């Protein structure tokens, strides 16, 4: 399954969601929008699923609390479909 982020798709001006320096990591020049993780109204990371693995790539420095929140949410969302959640540094 491919991810699709309706919030990011809905508005061309994404400055309220993510800093400009991270925008290119979310939306490619060809308009592909990577699935993202939103915390407190801001895009904090992007994610990618590869088989039974979910990889989380932070856009900003994440606290341990936020990392745990993201990992727990991924577990709740995907359940037994995934075996591993990896959060990059």
């Amino acid at each position: 399954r491919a991810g699709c982020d309706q919030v990011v798709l809905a508005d061309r001006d994404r400055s309220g969601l993510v800093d400009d320096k991270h925008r290119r990591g979310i939306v490619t020049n060809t308009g592909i929008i990577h699935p993202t993780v939103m915390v407190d109204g801001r895009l904090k990371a992007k994610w990618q699923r590869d088989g039974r693995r979910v990889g989380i790539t932070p856009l900003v420095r994440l606290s341990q609390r936020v990392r745990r929140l993201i990992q727990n949410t991924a577990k709740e969302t995907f359940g037994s479909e995934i075996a591993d959640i990896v959060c990059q540094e």
Side-chain angles (χ1 to χ4, degrees), residues 28-79:
T28 68
N29 289 338
T30 58
I32 296 171
I33 298 175
H34 296 283
T36 58
V37 176
M38 183 179 283
V39 179
D40 298 329
R42 299 283 295 171
L43 300 179
K44 302 287 186 176
K46 59 184 180 177
W47 64 270
Q48 181 178 9
R49 183 171 172 183
D50 183 15
R52 291 179 45 87
R53 179 182 176 270
V54 173
I56 309 294
T57 305
L59 299 171
V60 297
R61 183 170 165 74
L62 301 176
S63 68
Q64 287 299 321
R65 180 192 70 80
V66 170
R67 284 179 184 270
R68 281 192 304 274
L69 174 68
I70 292 170
Q71 290 172 325
N72 290 340
T73 301
K75 287 177 189 174
E76 290 174 16
T77 300
F78 293 106

Side-chain angles (χ1 to χ4, degrees), residues 5 19 22 24 41 51 55 60 62-63 75 83 88:
D5 196 320
D19 294 334
H22 300 298
R24 290 195 187 269
V60 297
L62 301 176
S63 68
K75 287 177 189 174
Q88 313 292 319

Side-chain angles (χ1 to χ4, degrees), residues 2-22:
C4 181
D5 196 320
Q6 298 298 324
V7 173
V8 177
L9 222 120
D11 194 355
R12 185 161 179 81
D13 177 14
R14 297 174 182 94
S15 61
L17 299 174
V18 66
D19 294 334
D20 282 341
K21 65 182 177 181
H22 300 298

